[in-house]
Amino acid sequence: MIYSALLVCAGLAPQGLAACTREQLQEATAAYVKAQAAGDLQLSALASNVSYMENDTPMDISKGVLSQAITIDLNRSLHDTTECATFTEISAATNKEPYVIHTRMLFTDGKITTIQSVVANDGDWAFNATGQLYWSKQEKWDPIPEDKRDTREVIKAAGDAYLDSWGDGKVKVPYGTPCARLEGGMYTGSGRPNANTCLMPQFPEPFKVANRRYVIDEEVGGLDIFNDFPFIDVSKPNGTSSTNLFRVEGGMIRYIHEVTICTKRNCGR
């Protein structure tokens, strides 16, 4: 079964070592994408204490989106060899029920111990899977030459500054020029592709974006931050499930992808 293959592929580092190889994590994300496309699960292959969550809600993995065969139009992954973690963005615009899925996986001793997915579909914030797929395809996420790569600290600081600026307009965010934000299916760079169109004004009330969970990939300047986005959902003002995917080049933000879950259509706004 595909999940057995996923864990064989993810035969990661020897016990006692935190780091994983890039090749092992790449094989694991490829197997994850294949599993999602087939909706093929073999629960016995997962760690006995696996934690599975969708939209920050713990659930039985056999009842989640992973159990559904989904037509995947585009996927993109980050591989964090320091934290033994991966991130995968799945665009499923032509699926019978369109989805955009962001998934974070954690590994321990060669087994998947944590799977967290933010699963967006019709009614979630600015959701438009066709638009998300179209604009995502226009972007370039090629590996960055080794001598031009940013450190983990620089990449993380860029993403944190962006989230911090939502509640505090005085925070300086390292936006690049150009910079484009893909929010649901809306793309800020559609009319001004050579400009910085990522700037986010401060929200009407101060807040802090909490529960941040990171996957960092220096090779592609990639960062994903799972977080609780406050204010946006009128029914969950203290925070709803959200993720922000970044591409950082030369210390400056080039791309941002946001996926945010709503309890009511478009978060009641």
Side-chain angles (χ1 to χ4, degrees):
M1 303 289 281
I2 290 174
Y3 247 79
S4 296
L6 187 147
L7 290 180
V8 168
C9 290
L12 308 182
Q15 293 190 4
L17 296 181
C20 307
T21 71
R22 187 171 189 83
E23 291 74 18
Q24 290 162 337
L25 293 177
Q26 286 174 326
E27 289 173 356
T29 53
Y32 160 71
V33 171
K34 189 175 181 181
Q36 181 64 86
D40 189 355
L41 298 175
Q42 184 172 338
L43 301 181
S44 62
L46 295 173
S48 60
N49 62 340
V50 64
S51 169
Y52 182 78
M53 301 177 72
E54 287 186 13
N55 301 336
D56 289 327
T57 300
M59 64 186 304
D60 185 336
I61 194 171
S62 67
K63 301 184 186 306
V65 71
L66 264 173
S67 66
Q68 304 174 28
I70 290 177
T71 302
I72 297 174
D73 301 298
L74 183 69
N75 69 89
R76 177 179 289 118
S77 291
L78 305 180
H79 305 94
D80 189 332
T81 57
T82 299
E83 295 296 331
C84 273
T86 64
F87 164 81
T88 300
E89 178 179 68
I90 286 176
S91 303
T94 61
N95 193 59
K96 183 177 180 180
E97 179 180 0
Y99 287 109
V100 176
I101 302 171
H102 282 190
T103 293
R104 174 177 178 259
M105 298 195 299
L106 307 180
F107 301 85
T108 302
D109 296 334
K111 290 186 178 292
I112 300 170
T113 53
T114 299
I115 301 176
Q116 298 173 340
S117 292
V118 171
V119 182
N121 57 11
D122 184 47
D124 289 317
W125 181 251
F127 184 81
N128 181 330
T130 301
Q132 197 274 347
L133 174 63
Y134 174 81
W135 291 112
S136 189
K137 281 183 172 181
Q138 312 308 309
E139 297 177 347
K140 294 184 178 181
W141 289 72
D142 299 334
I144 295 171
E146 190 168 358
D147 62 344
K148 295 183 179 180
R149 292 175 191 169
D150 292 305
T151 64
R152 293 177 64 83
E153 292 75 19
V154 167
I155 295 169
K156 179 177 180 294
D160 276 335
Y162 175 74
L163 295 186
D164 290 343
S165 73
W166 293 356
D168 182 355
K170 297 187 297 294
V171 174
K172 185 176 180 180
V173 182
Y175 295 118
T177 302
C179 180
R181 186 177 71 251
L182 180 55
E183 189 171 332
M186 300 185 300
Y187 200 62
T188 63
S190 60
R192 300 166 60 204
N194 297 316
N196 167 23
T197 60
C198 289
L199 180 65
M200 282 284 288
Q202 181 176 333
F203 281 77
E205 58 189 61
F207 60 74
K208 292 186 180 298
V209 180
N211 195 23
R212 301 184 190 185
R213 290 144 286 165
Y214 304 86
V215 177
I216 302 172
D217 184 340
E218 301 95 322
E219 184 169 308
V220 296
L223 165 68
D224 190 81
I225 308 178
F226 275 55
N227 63 86
D228 295 344
F229 186 177
F231 177 80
I232 190 68
D233 191 321
V234 296
S235 298
K236 297 183 71 177
N238 292 327
T240 187
S241 301
S242 183
T243 79
N244 286 266
L245 171 64
F246 302 85
R247 163 90 166 187
V248 178
E249 300 174 353
M252 311 298 282
I253 298 173
R254 176 64 183 92
Y255 301 124
I256 306 170
H257 292 189
E258 180 190 322
V259 175
T260 297
I261 303 304
C262 298
T263 54
K264 296 180 180 178
R265 175 168 288 275
N266 221 37
C267 291
R269 299 188 180 277

